[in-house]
């Protein structure tokens, strides 16, 4: 890999003015801390705003030299643009809207113009620093126009984008006056990543509906370029948070806190002060808990740790007042001499103090109204090295999709939070341990480094897909040649997969029945007696009989287990057995990690990855990736990989579409053969074709097929052309 350019609004170092002098200090929290070790281990450069206005930076050449020595390139922005970009469009428009707070959203043309100017300023710096082979990774909602601006300046650049906040549903996103510009900005990237599959789905829907691009299954076709989207749930630096017991400062801090808290049970709340985090709702629920359970008096303390944030924005000022008021009310109403029910800290704490609090809290109450991911939930679980403690987590935090063993609540349902708190305070230790153990295992494996690595792997994979796609597309010229060869032939064999090839995938397999036009087209193709059309499918023979039984076509059912020649009866072939599981099992395990809810079933001669309990769309996407990935691993193992109904099954070879296709291929001297298919099961067909045959993959993944087409619609129009209908 060449260099990595990380681009984010803020640099990992902030320039600060102290007593009239400029100094640089590491930025605290967020991306910078999470990625610092990963970024240093690579040949990386970071590009971002240094936290200080253009004029001051100009005065200090030394500061610039210091930043450059840390591989940081500052983007200089005027103070007015910082104000209108960051405090304007970012925090008064995008942030509230993307978190589903349309009433807090301000639409101001001046903010938008500043947003454009700042994105252009970033593009200029990146274009000046970037070399052709660099990988560019742009972060977050401050820079959503940047991918397109970079694509215009460097058409071949490798650009990834990751959004750290939610992408809202279409109905919310469409409210934005500059919605198309934002989408166009984003699809300038090669890969657009989100924390959850839901956000990726919202984005795809908006792209499809507003820009009109074909967008499905994690892929967008923008003119002649494909853009991938996917979910990469951000992890934490697990090692760092789970080393509390080895950190003497954290240990000392823990003792100090414990002395102050006495033997009270501790409920912990940690956030930036933001209206998306649901802090007032949390306080109200805690107050209701005390109302209802007088026995908890003097026995429980809510430690409310709040970091000041965006203090110049009106809603944040109001929220501050509201939280101050609620804390005062609760302490006034329930407190006694010597016991303050809410311990309110309005500041940022150093790392060792934060981990000390995590490690002693009996309950972490993490109840955002909406949150892209929420790292606090993950940090708490990681810091509980004794495996005890209970996490209460709101379902509208991205983290809830990975931390299903927490007590999951609806943050707007006060009653549910009160009950969750009561349940958490009473939860038997054994149950706490069982829940945390599973979450810890997951967080340890999928940490921040793995997150970044997976993003990069996917970015490279997307580039590779684009390269293959460009090479293999069946051009109009080639389609004309193909149709001509077919029409001249004296014996033509067409081997056609059905689902995903002649019809698009539909959520319910039964809905994909062929329409009248398709049936008529197939009939036309079979009209000449010298032509043979064979439909090669994974479906059962009953369905194929029902749909195509009267057509005069050959049929292959269940990926080759059954074949039926034109006018003949169904016939079957037998299977073989072999040993190979040790190699395949770990691969399936890593898919289980990345797809919450999925699991592995082990049968005597096969391994099955089930995703029926996972988010259905995510499951489908992962299944396709798994099949692609297994096709490499299993090449030498005499195995086959089959996609069933919400399962991917790996079994020994013996039955496959290729073997079935050979019954037709070798049965006669054909002077024209065409095979079309879309997934890995069709690769077997492609592999048994004699060299002059035409083979076409639908979609742009790796394939043994010689050519590719973008969609079933294109395959059908090619067939129509062959039949002389176009
Ligand atoms: P944030 O909205 O800032 O991040 P979060 O993911 O919880 O939210 O990260 C906050 C970070 O600040 C955590 O690492 C936490 O430890 C730290 N922190 C909070 N309070 C602190 C305190 N008082 N003292 C010291 N440190 C404190 C945005 C999105 C999230 C997404 C992240 C990462 O809004 O949804 O998870 O980016 O993508």
């Amino acid at each position: 890999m060449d260099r990595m350019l990380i681009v984010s609004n803020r640099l990992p170092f902030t320039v600060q003015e102290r007593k009239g002098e400029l100094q640089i200090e590491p930025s605290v929290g967020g991306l910078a801390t999470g990625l610092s070790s990963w970024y240093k281990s690579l040949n990386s450069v970071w590009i971002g705003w240094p936290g200080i206005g253009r004029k001051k930076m100009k005065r200090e050449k030394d500061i610039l030299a210091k930043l450059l020595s840390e591989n940081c390139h500052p983007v200089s922005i005027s103070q007015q643009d910082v104000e209108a970009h960051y405090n304007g469009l970012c925090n008064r428009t995008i942030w509230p809207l993307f978190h589903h707070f349309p009433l807090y959203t301000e639409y101001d043309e001046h903010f938008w113009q500043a947003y454009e100017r700042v994105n252009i300023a970033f593009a200029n710096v990146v274009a000046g620093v970037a070399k052709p082979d660099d990988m560019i990774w742009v972060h977050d909602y401050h820079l959503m126009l940047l991918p397109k601006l970079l694509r215009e300046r460097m058409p071949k650049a490798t650009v990834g984008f990751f959004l750290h906040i939610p992408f809202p549903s279409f109905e919310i996103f469409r409210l934005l006056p500059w919605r198309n510009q934002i989408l166009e900005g984003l699809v300038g990237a090669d890969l657009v990543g989100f924390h959850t599959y839901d956000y990726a789905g919202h984005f795809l829907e908006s792209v499809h509906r507003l820009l009109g691009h074909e967008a499905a299954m994690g892929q967008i076709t923008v003119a002649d370029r494909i853009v991938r989207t996917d979910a990469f749930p951000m992890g934490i630096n697990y090692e760092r948070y789970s080393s509390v017991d080895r950190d003497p400062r954290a240990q000392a801090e823990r003792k100090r806190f414990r002395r102050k808290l006495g033997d009270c049970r501790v409920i912990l709340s940690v956030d930036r002060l933001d209206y998306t985090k649901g802090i007032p709702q949390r306080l109200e629920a805690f107050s209701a808990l005390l109302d209802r359970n007088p026995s908890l008096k003097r026995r429980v303390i809510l430690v409310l740790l709040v970091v000041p944030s965006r203090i110049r924005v009106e809603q944040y000022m109001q929220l501050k007042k509201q939280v101050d008021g609620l804390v005062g009310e609760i302490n006034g109403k329930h407190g006694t001499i010597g016991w303050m029910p809410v311990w309110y800290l309005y500041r940022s704490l150093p790392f060792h103090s934060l981990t000390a609090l995590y490690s002693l809290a009996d309950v972490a109450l993490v109840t955002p109204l909406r949150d892209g991911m929420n790292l606090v939930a993950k940090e708490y679980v990681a810091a509980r090295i004794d495996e005890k403690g209970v996490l209460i987590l709101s379902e509208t935090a991205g983290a809830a999709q990975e931390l299903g063993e927490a007590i999951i609540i609806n943050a707007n349902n006060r009653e549910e939070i009160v009950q969750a708190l009561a349940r958490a305070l009473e939860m038997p230790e054994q149950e706490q341990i069982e829940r945390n153990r599973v979450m810890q295992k997951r967080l340890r494996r999928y940490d921040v480094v793995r997150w970044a690595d997976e993003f990069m792997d996917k970015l490279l994979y997307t580039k590779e897909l684009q390269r293959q796609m460009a090479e293999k597309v069946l051009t109009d010229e080639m389609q004309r040649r193909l149709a001509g060869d077919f029409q001249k032939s004296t014996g033509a064999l067409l081997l056609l997969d059905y689902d995903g090839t002649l019809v698009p995938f539909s959520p319910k397999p039964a809905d994909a029945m062929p329409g009248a036009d398709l049936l008529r087209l197939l009939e036309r193709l079979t009209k000449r007696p010298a032509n043979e059309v064979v439909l090669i499918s994974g479906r059962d023979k009953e369905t194929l009989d029902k749909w195509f039984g009267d057509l005069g076509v050959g049929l292959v059912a269940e990926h080759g287990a059954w074949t039926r020649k034109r006018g003949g009866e169904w016939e079957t072939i037998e299977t073989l057995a072999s040993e190979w599981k040790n190699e395949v099992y770990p691969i399936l395990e890593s898919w289980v990690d990345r797809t919450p809810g999925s699991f592995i079933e082990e049968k005597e001669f096969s391994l099955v990855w089930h995703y029926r309990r996972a988010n259905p769309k995510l499951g489908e996407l992962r299944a396709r990736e798994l099949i692609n990935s297994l096709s490499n691993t299993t090449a030498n193992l005499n195995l086959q990989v089959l996609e069933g109904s919400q399962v991917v099954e790996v079994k020994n070879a013996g039955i496959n579409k290729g073997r079935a296709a050979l019954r037709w291929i070798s049965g006669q001297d054909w002077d024209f053969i065409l095979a079309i298919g879309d997934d890995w099961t069709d690769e077997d067909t492609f592999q048994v074709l004699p060299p002059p045959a035409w083979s076409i993959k639908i979609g742009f993944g790796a394939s043994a097929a010689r050519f590719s087409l973008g969609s079933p619609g294109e395959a059908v129009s090619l067939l129509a052309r062959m039949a002389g209908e176009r």
Side-chain angles (χ1 to χ4, degrees):
M1 191 194 344
D2 271 82
R3 283 191 318 171
M4 157 84 61
L5 266 57
I6 300 176
V7 192
S8 65
N9 189 45
R10 294 297 293 263
L11 281 175
F13 292 91
T14 303
V15 180
Q16 299 212 326
E17 193 167 3
R18 290 248 157 84
K19 294 182 190 153
E21 261 188 47
L22 296 186
Q23 297 170 345
I24 71 165
E25 286 172 13
S27 305
V28 277
L31 190 68
T33 320
L35 280 185
S36 60
S37 52
W38 182 81
Y39 144 78
K40 280 186 192 135
S41 71
L42 295 168
N43 182 13
S44 322
V45 169
W46 204 307
I47 295 166
W49 182 59
I52 201 141
R54 182 179 287 159
K55 277 194 201 142
K56 281 189 180 153
M57 272 299 285
K58 267 195 185 146
R59 278 198 278 122
E60 301 273 341
K61 286 228 163 52
D62 291 357
I63 292 291
L64 189 64
K66 253 190 213 165
L67 286 172
L68 289 175
S69 74
E70 298 281 352
N71 280 340
C72 288
H73 290 255
V75 180
S76 87
I77 306 171
S78 71
Q79 203 52 49
Q80 291 99 305
D81 276 355
V82 169
E83 187 57 35
H85 167 259
Y86 183 67
N87 286 323
L89 200 92
C90 293
N91 291 337
R92 294 177 199 261
T93 312
I94 304 288
W95 178 271
L97 192 71
F98 279 39
H99 285 88
H100 286 222
F101 282 81
L103 288 179
Y104 285 11
T105 308
E106 293 172 37
Y107 305 105
D108 182 328
E109 190 59 36
H110 293 105
F111 292 170
W112 173 252
Q113 285 163 5
Y115 190 78
E116 286 183 310
R117 278 195 300 277
V118 169
N119 274 258
I120 290 170
F122 268 79
N124 292 337
V125 175
V126 177
V129 172
K131 296 182 190 145
D133 291 330
D134 288 344
M135 300 173 76
I136 305 172
W137 191 4
V138 181
H139 289 266
D140 227 0
Y141 62 105
H142 321 88
L143 299 172
M144 291 191 283
L145 304 180
L146 187 54
K148 178 178 182 227
L149 295 168
L150 294 176
R151 182 72 50 212
E152 286 164 357
R153 287 164 173 73
M154 303 177 281
K156 291 205 156 48
T158 303
V159 182
F161 179 91
F162 188 84
L163 187 70
H164 289 261
I165 63 174
F167 195 94
S169 65
F170 172 68
E171 284 304 330
I172 297 282
F173 181 71
R174 73 194 308 187
L175 300 175
L176 192 66
W178 312 283
R179 59 201 188 182
N180 283 22
Q181 289 95 314
I182 296 276
L183 293 177
E184 277 158 6
L186 291 173
V187 299
D190 298 300
L191 173 65
V192 185
F194 300 90
H195 281 305
T196 74
Y197 193 71
D198 284 342
Y199 308 153
H202 293 160
F203 172 66
L204 284 175
E205 186 184 355
S206 289
V207 166
H208 180 61
R209 294 178 69 168
L210 293 167
L211 299 186
H213 298 315
E214 208 173 290
M217 305 295 290
Q219 190 158 300
I220 306 165
T221 313
V222 187
D224 56 351
R225 211 164 55 84
I226 54 159
V227 177
R228 300 278 320 174
T229 65
D230 206 341
F232 303 89
M234 185 174 176
I236 55 168
N237 184 338
Y238 191 90
E239 263 309 298
R240 192 159 175 251
Y241 285 94
S242 62
S243 60
V244 187
D245 60 337
R246 277 172 275 140
D247 177 353
R249 284 205 302 173
Q251 287 301 328
E253 196 70 343
R254 194 187 142 104
K255 280 197 194 123
R256 198 174 66 86
F257 282 132
R258 186 37 82 196
R259 259 199 315 275
K260 290 201 169 154
L261 292 160
D263 55 6
C264 281
R265 312 285 305 277
V266 175
I267 300 170
L268 179 64
S269 155
V270 179
D271 317 81
R272 277 186 308 102
L273 185 65
D274 197 293
Y275 50 81
T276 61
K277 303 285 183 184
I279 301 169
Q281 288 82 345
R282 209 174 293 172
L283 283 166
E284 282 160 5
F286 180 63
S287 179
L289 178 82
L290 296 180
D291 277 336
R292 239 175 277 166
N293 299 281
S295 64
L296 287 176
K297 293 206 168 186
R298 296 179 173 278
R299 286 186 45 225
V300 62
I301 286 182
L302 171 66
V303 176
L304 184 71
L305 179 55
V306 180
V307 194
S309 178
R310 302 172 196 172
I311 41 182
R312 308 240 290 284
V313 179
E314 179 61 24
Q315 281 99 13
Y316 290 73
M317 296 180 205
Q318 279 174 10
L319 180 66
K320 170 80 172 52
K321 279 194 199 133
Q322 191 187 2
V323 170
D324 289 354
L326 276 167
V327 171
E329 242 173 64
I330 297 172
N331 282 342
K333 180 175 173 195
H334 299 281
T336 56
I337 291 169
W339 177 65
M340 245 203 321
V342 184
W343 229 43
Y344 180 25
L345 305 175
Y346 179 60
R347 58 174 181 268
S348 180
L349 283 192
F351 180 76
H352 63 275
S353 307
L354 184 64
T355 42
L357 275 176
Y358 283 149
S359 75
L360 61 70
D362 299 280
V363 181
L365 187 56
V366 184
T367 60
L369 300 172
R370 205 163 284 272
D371 211 335
M373 169 52 68
N374 194 294
L375 299 179
V376 168
K378 294 186 169 182
E379 293 165 1
Y380 171 68
V381 172
R384 292 305 313 233
I385 37 180
D386 59 356
E387 300 177 326
K388 292 182 208 146
V390 182
L391 172 65
I392 299 176
L393 180 59
S394 126
E395 63 191 11
T396 37
Q401 301 203 3
E402 286 167 90
L403 303 177
E405 293 77 12
I407 301 182
I408 304 288
I409 51 93
N410 171 351
N412 291 310
N413 187 337
R414 185 187 306 168
E415 187 52 36
E416 211 172 56
I417 306 180
V418 175
Q419 282 176 16
L421 279 170
R423 188 173 155 211
L425 289 168
E426 281 163 17
M427 187 180 285
E429 259 180 32
Q430 193 47 37
E431 186 180 344
Q432 298 177 20
I433 291 171
E434 278 162 23
R435 287 166 179 256
N436 288 334
R437 205 170 272 170
V438 184
M439 293 193 278
Q440 288 183 345
K441 193 170 164 218
R442 204 176 293 137
L443 294 176
R444 189 179 298 123
R445 283 170 80 126
Y446 204 100
D447 65 0
V448 68
V449 171
R450 171 111 178 250
W451 167 76
D453 282 346
E454 286 214 348
F455 187 90
M456 284 303 137
D457 286 351
K458 205 53 182 279
L459 182 55
L460 290 174
Y461 169 73
T462 307
K463 277 315 233 199
E464 177 58 21
L465 279 184
Q466 290 173 348
R467 199 188 55 74
Q468 289 172 5
M469 176 190 135
E471 270 176 13
K472 283 186 142 185
V473 169
L474 188 71
T475 58
D476 195 56
E477 166 61 27
M478 292 301 275
Q479 292 194 30
R480 206 172 314 131
R481 259 183 54 194
L482 183 154
D485 284 2
F486 172 72
Q487 282 152 5
K488 276 188 283 174
S489 71
T490 52
L493 174 62
L494 309 188
L495 302 165
L496 308 176
D497 170 51
Y498 182 67
D499 291 277
T501 297
L502 298 184
V503 292
F505 279 99
S506 44
K508 282 201 239 138
D511 291 347
M513 64 185 285
D517 286 351
L518 180 59
L519 290 174
R520 211 174 307 118
L521 175 61
L522 291 172
E523 198 160 20
R524 270 201 81 166
L525 289 166
T526 55
K527 265 227 173 103
R528 257 200 316 165
N531 290 355
E532 175 107 46
V533 177
V534 186
L535 292 170
I536 305 187
S537 170
R539 286 183 182 261
D540 57 50
K541 55 189 197 320
E542 289 71 23
T543 308
L544 295 184
D545 257 341
K546 191 164 78 187
W547 289 351
F548 308 106
D550 300 333
L551 267 189
V553 294
L555 294 173
V556 174
E558 292 176 30
H559 300 107
W562 297 92
T563 58
R564 202 190 90 170
K565 291 225 166 173
R566 184 155 58 169
E569 293 296 316
W570 285 104
E571 295 173 44
T572 186
I573 39 178
E574 54 188 82
T575 61
L576 305 161
S578 63
E579 296 248 333
W580 41 267
K581 288 183 190 160
N582 295 345
E583 284 188 52
V584 174
Y585 203 94
I587 301 178
L588 299 189
E589 255 185 331
S590 78
W591 252 258
V592 168
D593 282 346
R594 298 178 59 215
T595 320
S598 70
F599 61 94
I600 303 170
E601 179 194 3
E602 184 162 356
K603 297 192 204 165
E604 201 173 351
F605 297 117
S606 75
L607 287 175
V608 191
W609 179 69
H610 287 261
Y611 57 92
R612 78 183 117 89
R613 285 202 234 125
N615 173 322
K617 286 189 175 168
L618 175 64
E620 236 169 87
L621 178 75
R622 293 275 185 257
R624 311 206 113 223
E625 293 172 350
L626 176 61
I627 288 165
N628 264 337
S629 158
L630 284 169
S631 68
N632 300 326
T633 326
T634 56
N636 303 321
L637 294 174
N638 201 29
L639 295 176
Q640 58 177 325
V641 184
L642 300 177
E643 189 172 8
S645 166
Q646 297 178 5
V647 298
V648 172
E649 183 157 4
V650 189
K651 54 164 78 167
N652 54 299
I655 296 174
N656 66 55
K657 288 183 174 181
R659 194 164 151 180
L662 274 174
R663 298 198 64 202
W664 277 267
I665 295 171
S666 55
Q668 192 179 321
D669 242 351
W670 308 98
D671 62 356
F672 177 95
I673 299 179
L674 164 66
I676 316 183
D678 72 305
D679 69 21
W680 197 74
T681 64
D682 301 305
E683 293 298 312
D684 291 319
T685 313
F686 298 143
Q687 269 152 10
V688 298
L689 297 175
W694 294 86
S695 49
I696 302 172
K697 180 181 167 74
I698 305 302
F700 301 115
S703 171
R706 289 169 55 208
F707 300 101
S708 66
L709 282 174
S711 66
E714 289 180 41
V716 170
S717 74
L718 172 68
L719 292 174
R721 191 172 200 165
M722 290 163 63
E725 291 183 359
R726 282 184 47 209

